[in-house]
Amino acid sequence: MTTFAESSSWHEQLAAGNEVALAVTAAEAGFAEPAKTATNLVLLQKVLANAELVTGLALKALTTADPDQALNNLERLSGTVDKTDLPIILCDQTSAGQLLTILGASPFLSGILCRRASFFAGLFRKNQINITKTEEQMCTELRGLIADDADMAALKQGLRTYKAQEMLRIGGRDLCGLAELEEVTDELSSLAAATLQRAFEVCSWMLQSDYGVPLLDSEKGTPAEEAEFTIFGMGKFGGCELNFSSDIDLIYFYSSDHGQTTGVTDPVRGQCNCISLHQYFVKLSEMITKAIGQATEDGFVFRVDLRLRPEGNRGEMANSLAAAEIYYESWGQSWERSAMLKARPVAGSKALGEQLLKRLEPFIYRRHLDYAMIDDIKLMKQKIDRSLTREKEGELNLKLGYGGIREIEFFIQALQLINAGKNPHLRERNSLRALQLLCAEALITVEETDNLTAAYRFLRTAEHRIQMVHEQQTHNLPTRPQELTALARRCGFTRADAFMADLQKHREKVSAVFRDLFY
């Protein structure tokens, strides 16, 4: 088969703009849509005026997940970025390879690059692709980007702009092999926490401008303290292991129902509009939810799911600590105990959140061996399996299906619920770290630990590489052969059958460990 490098007429074809001849050469090289690719190469040649460079880019594109898509997105990008920046990046072998990897793997990330020239400059000219950020750094950057007295429109726009910038950096590092899974999930979780914190700060300022400061009741002669608010991150958010396209599961809590806001006097009517603490914190919760989760022309920051709160969708938007404690101790169900294993204060007053978790320890962690929880978790999994059977997704779903991520999570949670009451050392929210602790306590073998760790990393990486295509919340393998091949290539495999063979091995090992515990 003739390759680009062997084609003696390649430079002449580019210089002459001969798309027909280029299409033939592109087809021989392995491009799936040679006519479109030929057009893109001719257009790139007009921009770059360097046939040797364009030839090299075409060869690099062949190593990406979708070579045709890589060149098509590069041509789009050439029309939006600084014309002096682009050749500099493309002449650097490392940067050119990283750029084409992103463009050939993710239309979502490619769209971010094409929409804002500053994002391209930041990622490559300012070397953001080689930078890791902490939650504190992200909070600092958000405070510089969004003013304290911003209105809701400015808050939403600022949060979404920052989210796009950071998703590009984190996703680019992931695709280019510059960050391990643990770093990627941790940074995604930090991004969610930082945007929530800034939303909380700005929404609090807006709300206090209307209703005054929320104060707790106090004894006569003693100054009233300001009531506090905390946001719990649940599930993968709580474990610092968010997906690339996760919902964030949140629960809102506040100090107490005893008190009210100081109010703001209406200059015309002379009325002071004080409201109760419950009313205030429900309003605050609604504002934060909209600031983060509402879709605008700039998209959303994160999808927000509040169904894990006390009484689910029927429950209050926000609950006081006392109300929460009464609910969980009186009516809390097995699945809520399991959910609370990963609960973590992520924004607002983290000290208040830790105080509530301490008060809920008797509910979450039983001192006696609670084997009934095993049956409850087994029933949860059986319901999932029946649902997948109805939807015909059992073999496709990496999260809920056979040998999937949920089986690993249920396995860890069951052992924690049984043993962590007497052994606080096992109270770890992060799945990979929890596996190491269970092994250290001889509750699972080294072989089981290694198998589950390897499977978790494989499954979560594949899940990310599925979701970052269009930022869709899906856990299913693609069914079209071409898309499955592209997924395999995004995951580091040259062929889909090799990827599927590895997937099957991991699934079998997970299923064996899961069934050994539960059945």
Side-chain angles (χ1 to χ4, degrees):
M1 180 181 287
T2 303
T3 67
F4 282 109
E6 296 165 344
S7 176
S8 60
S9 60
W10 173 243
H11 288 184
E12 291 83 352
Q13 292 170 0
L14 272 174
N18 190 339
E19 292 189 26
V20 175
L22 280 171
V24 173
T25 310
E28 291 172 345
F31 283 96
E33 299 180 283
K36 288 183 180 179
T37 293
T39 301
N40 286 322
L41 291 171
V42 168
L43 292 172
L44 284 168
Q45 171 63 12
K46 289 178 180 178
V47 173
L48 300 171
N50 187 332
E52 184 177 352
L53 175 59
V54 176
T55 300
L57 293 171
L59 287 168
K60 282 185 183 298
L62 285 167
T63 66
T64 68
D66 188 329
D68 299 89
Q69 180 178 277
L71 289 180
N72 188 56
N73 284 327
L74 180 59
E75 192 282 317
R76 283 177 59 206
L77 186 67
S78 69
T80 62
V81 300
D82 189 301
K83 294 298 185 290
T84 58
D85 277 352
L86 187 60
I88 294 172
I89 298 304
L90 294 179
C91 286
D92 180 89
Q93 293 293 315
T94 300
S95 296
Q98 291 170 343
L99 176 59
L100 285 167
T101 294
I102 295 168
L103 296 176
S106 173
F108 167 64
L109 296 179
S110 300
I112 294 175
L113 275 170
C114 292
R115 279 197 301 275
R116 284 179 178 260
S118 61
F119 287 167
F120 173 83
L123 194 65
F124 292 107
R125 296 289 281 160
K126 297 180 181 178
N127 205 33
Q128 291 284 317
I129 196 166
N130 290 313
I131 292 174
T132 304
K133 294 182 184 178
T134 64
E135 182 181 324
E136 290 71 25
Q137 286 175 301
M138 294 182 192
C139 283
T140 300
E141 289 176 353
L142 279 164
R143 290 179 185 123
L145 179 66
I146 304 169
D148 290 341
D149 59 354
D151 60 17
M152 183 58 82
L155 172 62
K156 287 180 178 178
Q157 185 179 46
L159 290 173
R160 282 151 183 76
T161 299
Y162 188 78
K163 177 256 185 146
Q165 171 192 294
E166 292 306 295
M167 280 294 201
L168 176 61
R169 181 183 62 82
I170 297 167
R173 287 177 55 75
D174 184 13
L175 283 169
C176 295
L178 299 174
E180 296 293 330
L181 172 70
E182 293 92 319
E183 182 184 314
V184 173
T185 56
D186 185 68
E187 282 208 80
L188 289 170
S189 303
S190 293
L191 176 60
T195 53
L196 274 168
Q197 179 63 27
R198 193 56 184 148
F200 159 72
E201 292 166 356
V202 176
C203 289
S204 294
W205 184 91
M206 283 190 270
L207 203 56
Q208 290 180 27
S209 298
D210 291 335
Y211 297 101
V213 180
L215 296 180
L216 297 167
D217 288 340
S218 62
E219 299 289 334
K220 280 190 176 181
T222 60
E225 294 182 7
E226 186 171 339
E228 292 184 307
F229 180 80
T230 190
I231 304 174
F232 273 16
M234 310 292 287
K236 287 186 171 64
F237 190 12
C240 295
E241 47 197 0
L242 274 184
N243 295 339
F244 197 81
S245 184
S246 279
D247 283 355
I248 50 173
D249 295 301
L250 305 179
I251 310 181
Y252 300 117
F253 298 107
Y254 57 92
S255 305
S256 170
D257 284 315
H258 302 297
Q260 62 181 9
T261 63
T262 55
V264 175
T265 303
D266 186 312
V268 178
R269 298 180 180 180
Q271 297 174 334
C272 183
N273 57 341
C274 302
I275 58 174
S276 71
L277 292 184
H278 180 69
Q279 289 174 302
Y280 176 89
F281 286 114
V282 166
K283 288 179 183 292
L284 180 58
S285 301
E286 290 171 344
M287 291 174 72
I288 292 170
T289 301
K290 288 178 181 177
I292 297 292
Q294 195 170 62
T296 71
E297 61 183 10
D298 299 307
F300 53 85
V301 187
F302 287 91
R303 303 176 191 90
V304 175
D305 191 336
L306 301 174
R307 290 176 295 176
L308 294 182
R309 69 186 187 269
E311 296 188 76
N313 287 334
R314 296 180 292 107
E316 295 284 359
M317 179 71 83
N319 290 273
S320 68
L321 263 59
E325 192 172 9
I326 291 169
Y327 169 80
Y328 287 115
E329 289 183 354
S330 303
W331 296 287
Q333 300 177 47
S334 295
W335 69 265
E336 288 172 305
R337 281 185 62 204
S338 181
M340 277 290 167
L341 288 173
K342 284 181 172 286
R344 175 173 67 99
V346 294
S349 171
K350 294 183 181 179
L352 183 71
E354 293 295 346
Q355 180 186 335
L356 176 57
L357 285 177
K358 190 70 178 174
R359 287 161 68 169
L360 293 180
E361 277 185 8
F363 165 69
I364 305 168
Y365 301 104
R366 304 288 164 84
R367 298 291 295 175
H368 59 277
L369 293 178
D370 188 5
Y371 287 105
M373 266 306 300
I374 295 287
D375 290 329
D376 289 339
I377 292 175
K378 188 162 68 173
L379 286 172
M380 282 188 250
K381 184 64 172 68
Q382 288 169 350
K383 287 180 181 178
I384 290 170
D385 290 344
R386 285 195 293 270
S387 174
L388 290 176
T389 300
R390 285 196 301 272
E391 301 297 327
K392 299 179 181 179
E393 286 186 9
E395 291 298 316
L396 295 176
N397 197 303
L398 296 178
K399 178 182 178 181
L400 304 176
Y402 154 77
I405 297 164
R406 187 50 54 85
E407 288 190 6
I408 300 173
E409 293 172 338
F410 277 172
F411 176 85
I412 295 168
Q413 289 168 16
L415 290 176
Q416 287 179 316
L417 287 166
I418 290 171
N419 297 283
K422 291 187 176 180
N423 188 350
H425 184 59
L426 295 173
R427 298 174 188 179
E428 170 59 56
R429 301 177 180 103
N430 181 273
S431 298
L432 290 176
R433 291 197 292 268
L435 284 172
Q436 295 302 316
L437 291 174
L438 291 168
C439 182
E441 296 294 318
L443 292 168
I444 58 176
T445 67
V446 173
E447 182 182 6
E448 288 172 330
T449 305
D450 291 345
N451 287 342
L452 292 179
T453 298
Y456 187 84
R457 287 199 174 106
F458 182 95
L459 291 165
R460 289 298 308 277
T461 298
E463 183 182 49
H464 278 183
R465 304 289 163 83
I466 291 170
Q467 293 180 348
M468 65 173 54
V469 176
H470 294 295
E471 203 194 13
Q472 290 180 334
Q473 191 183 22
T474 178
H475 314 278
N476 283 1
L477 293 167
T479 53
R480 293 176 56 195
Q482 187 177 345
E483 292 177 358
L484 186 61
T485 297
L487 170 62
R489 289 165 70 100
R490 284 196 298 275
C491 293
F493 295 82
T494 55
R495 301 190 324 274
D497 58 349
F499 167 80
M500 291 301 294
D502 237 26
L503 171 61
Q504 184 60 24
K505 288 176 186 176
H506 287 301
R507 279 175 157 174
E508 288 172 356
K509 290 175 181 178
V510 171
S511 183
V513 173
F514 179 81
R515 294 194 169 276
D516 187 49
L517 175 64
F518 285 92
Y519 292 94

